[in-house]
Amino acid sequence: MGDYWMFVFARSGASRLVLAVALASGAAVTLAAPAQAAKKQEAPAAPKVNYSKAFVGAYQPFSAKVNAGGDLAPLKAELAALHAAAQTPDDKFAAGQVTYNLGAKLKDMALQRQGVAMMIGSGSAQGAADRSKHLAAAAQLAYQDKDWTAARTFGEQAIAAGYTEGEQLIAETYFAQDQNAAGIDYLDKAIAKKVAAGQTVPDTWLKRGLAMAYEAKLAPQAAKFAAMYAQYYPSQTSWGDAIAIQRNFNNYEGQELLDLLRLAQRTNALRTERDYVDYIEAVDARRLPGETQRIIEAGVAANLLKPNDVYVAEARTVAAGRLNADLADLPKLARDARLPSATGATLSAAGDAFLSYQKPAEAEEFYKLALSKPGVDTARILTRLGIAQLDQGKTAEAEANFAKVEGARQAIARLWSLYASQGAKPVAAAQ
């Protein structure tokens, strides 16, 4: 799988960033006397402040001690008096700042959380502009303290107040409690909101949701997140992961696996020797020698197949021995398929042969005719009809046929439809 399997929620970095923005200003706070504060209010950008004289007298020496360093533990005993002196909203906000700062220096989580809570609950105009950041800081501190309920509550409040980066933290609280389905569902809904608002979906959300769904063996959720990852961040890695998820959770064999690996080849997502070997086995050199040869050559060129490997060499020999006769039979196969008496099996075989030889127009013709015959594998024919149309640049028609596929192939067809929506290039017809 892709590099997202090493992804770990970086709570410490995120917390430091938000806390620095929201709280660090308190370390340098110097409270002015009420008269001095009144003069500063003339600056239009500064919030109106109102500190009580008693609080200023208590705060200034206490703050100086916090900033002086040294043994700060004894200062915890002085906090009760400082908090009691805080009467106005601005008093309480400043008391919360210095409480947080002391807690940060002492690495005392309880004090840090108390300080942030005081700032949030102070009602001070100083904190109103950064309310969402303070709430987010409270959520992150609660998360670090493993208080999952509080982390969720503060996280939701932060988002409601305008903070735009709190959803993953909320999801993480569920993951921390082994409630993977709930966390994935929360991320899924958050992603839907982003999409509806025309906003970019963070790739970390998609990678994390995919990782947790895979770890919990939640196949539908893993497939959905893998597809969204390929949809919003198409690359060799994301497509490889989307296809690998389908293979890992579904026991695809033979013809189903072939069409999934054909998609992997078009998205440059054949990443291992095993991928190429499975493709060679699924395509079968006796049935489709031309495609077998192409895949072997591609695997050798990618340094993922060894030409002297016994299995590879044997498949290459079989394909080479069948190729000329198979090509010579194509005109007769086409004539037989165009007869009114042609059976579904003949038409299906003709479509498969021409698709394999990169002649999608003829393949489309025969697959359409096959759909009118009884007893055909409708899901397989519709899938390959869509592929043949896509190979000609008929994107809308291809997507319409992929949408009709039901049963075990439905997930494969959905990935093909997603690929089509990303502007899949037509395949040059073989001469």
Side-chain angles (χ1 to χ4, degrees):
M1 305 302 290
D3 60 359
Y4 63 81
W5 299 115
M6 297 301 295
F7 173 78
V8 177
F9 177 58
R11 69 185 187 195
S12 59
S15 297
R16 282 196 295 269
L17 175 62
V18 173
L19 292 175
V21 171
L23 307 175
S25 60
V29 169
T30 300
L31 294 183
Q36 295 172 311
K39 292 180 181 178
K40 293 182 179 180
Q41 291 169 18
E42 295 173 3
K48 183 177 181 179
V49 292
N50 178 24
Y51 301 117
S52 66
K53 186 175 181 179
F55 179 71
V56 172
Y59 174 89
Q60 289 182 332
F62 183 85
S63 179
K65 293 176 187 177
V66 172
N67 292 327
D71 184 9
L72 300 179
L75 293 182
K76 293 171 67 173
E78 299 180 25
L79 277 173
L82 178 71
H83 293 169
Q87 300 301 313
T88 71
D90 290 324
D91 290 349
K92 295 174 183 178
F93 184 82
Q97 284 184 313
V98 77
T99 300
Y100 169 79
N101 292 336
L102 178 60
K105 291 184 177 185
L106 292 173
K107 295 182 171 54
D108 186 321
M109 183 65 70
L111 276 188
Q112 293 178 66
R113 293 186 63 183
Q114 182 185 11
V116 176
M118 290 174 67
M119 293 165 67
I120 293 170
S122 69
S124 170
Q126 295 182 74
D130 287 332
R131 179 174 172 78
S132 66
K133 293 178 182 177
H134 294 142
L135 287 164
Q140 291 165 343
L141 287 170
Y143 180 89
Q144 291 175 16
D145 209 21
K146 298 183 179 181
D147 187 347
W148 312 124
T149 300
R152 279 196 285 271
T153 299
F154 282 123
E156 293 286 8
Q157 290 175 355
I159 292 168
Y163 187 66
T164 59
E165 301 176 11
E167 289 89 344
Q168 188 172 343
L169 183 143
I170 293 173
E172 291 296 331
T173 65
Y174 290 109
F175 298 147
Q177 293 177 285
D178 294 324
Q179 298 178 23
N180 285 11
I184 292 163
D185 183 61
Y186 182 87
L187 273 182
D188 191 15
K189 290 176 180 176
I191 289 167
K193 289 180 182 177
K194 285 276 190 186
V195 172
Q199 298 171 348
T200 300
V201 178
D203 65 336
T204 53
W205 294 10
L206 299 167
K207 293 176 183 178
R208 187 59 167 159
L210 174 53
M212 297 310 292
Y214 186 84
E215 181 180 301
K217 296 181 172 57
L218 300 172
Q221 293 94 323
K224 183 174 184 178
F225 270 78
M228 288 193 294
Y229 182 31
Q231 177 180 358
Y232 297 118
Y233 295 91
S235 68
Q236 180 183 15
T237 296
S238 61
W239 269 109
D241 289 343
I243 290 167
I245 287 290
Q246 290 298 333
R247 293 192 65 184
N248 289 345
F249 281 114
N250 298 281
N251 190 27
Y252 292 132
E253 296 180 352
Q255 299 302 300
E256 292 170 349
L257 180 59
L258 173 58
D259 289 339
L260 188 58
L261 291 172
R262 282 170 166 166
L263 178 59
Q265 186 272 326
R266 283 165 170 78
T267 56
N268 196 30
L270 293 171
R271 303 186 292 191
T272 67
E273 179 184 24
R274 184 74 252 169
D275 289 339
Y276 280 98
V277 169
D278 288 347
Y279 197 149
I280 294 168
E281 184 176 345
V283 76
D284 192 342
R286 297 164 299 178
R287 292 183 60 253
L288 301 174
E291 188 169 356
T292 301
Q293 272 199 342
R294 285 200 312 275
I295 294 308
I296 290 175
E297 297 307 321
V300 170
N303 293 318
L304 291 174
L305 287 181
K306 300 178 179 64
N308 58 350
D309 178 87
V310 174
Y311 180 82
V312 173
E314 182 179 346
R316 184 182 246 167
T317 299
V318 172
R322 297 268 311 159
L323 185 61
N324 289 336
D326 202 52
L327 284 169
D329 283 345
L330 279 183
K332 180 178 183 304
L333 180 59
R335 287 194 300 272
D336 291 345
R338 291 184 176 115
L339 293 173
S341 59
T343 64
T346 297
L347 289 162
S348 178
D352 289 347
F354 281 93
L355 182 67
S356 178
Y357 280 114
Q358 297 179 310
K359 296 179 180 294
E362 291 89 341
E364 177 186 17
E365 173 190 355
F366 298 131
Y367 285 138
K368 283 183 174 179
L369 290 170
L371 287 174
S372 66
K373 302 294 182 177
V376 297
D377 185 341
T378 302
R380 187 177 77 181
I381 299 301
L382 283 170
T383 303
R384 293 181 178 173
L385 172 59
I387 295 171
Q389 290 169 330
L390 191 60
D391 283 352
Q392 298 172 78
K394 298 180 178 180
T395 303
E397 295 171 67
E399 289 182 307
N401 281 309
F402 290 140
K404 296 175 186 176
V405 177
E406 299 177 347
R409 278 181 166 269
Q410 188 176 67
I412 298 172
R414 284 175 176 168
L415 287 181
W416 271 101
S417 186
L418 174 57
Y419 173 62
S421 72
Q422 293 178 344
K425 295 180 180 179
V427 172
Q431 301 300 317

